[in-house]
Amino acid sequence: MVQQGHAGPILPTEEPTLGAQLHRLSLLLSDAQAAIACGAGAVIAAAVLTFAPSWWRVALGGVAIASFGAWIVLERSGSERAWRRVVQGMAIVAGTGSVFAIALSLLTPMLGIWIS
């Protein structure tokens, strides 16, 4: 039996991985919401780095949101030019790198507590 979700059918054998959840979220967002995520994430990152650089983790979150929005916008653009795939790859690397950096920066102090 296949359940029907908002973004299409959910197969019972499908594991709820992060990639699958992000794909479902990208299907639920409208074009305007994706563009707003891209712009707002970029503005947040730039503002935090300009006015409060000590809050750089928030700026990394803005980069992750902006790259997710940019990936959705580029995915829906319909252009099959080579530059689109290159820019999408850059968005994936920026988003993944920023999330990894946030996780690592939060895990590092905890690791020091666990070791001692």
Side-chain angles (χ1 to χ4, degrees):
M1 177 171 184
V2 175
Q3 295 176 335
Q4 192 70 5
H6 293 291
I10 303 170
L11 301 176
T13 59
E14 181 179 324
E15 291 194 30
T17 62
L18 179 61
Q21 294 300 321
L22 288 174
H23 183 261
R24 288 193 73 234
L25 178 62
S26 73
L27 295 175
L28 293 173
L29 291 178
S30 69
D31 293 345
Q33 289 171 326
I36 289 171
C38 182
V43 168
I44 288 169
V48 167
L49 290 177
T50 301
F51 298 113
S54 62
W55 288 25
W56 56 271
R57 287 181 189 97
V58 176
L60 287 174
V63 169
I65 292 169
S67 62
F68 183 62
W71 180 82
I72 295 171
V73 168
L74 288 166
E75 186 68 24
R76 295 181 184 173
S77 70
S79 174
E80 289 301 324
R81 296 188 178 144
W83 64 268
R84 182 180 75 113
R85 292 290 176 198
V86 171
V87 175
Q88 271 187 316
M90 290 170 45
I92 290 168
V93 168
T96 304
S98 63
V99 170
F100 181 72
I102 291 170
L104 193 60
S105 71
L106 295 175
L107 182 64
T108 303
M110 290 180 200
L111 189 59
I113 293 171
W114 291 336
I115 290 175
S116 60

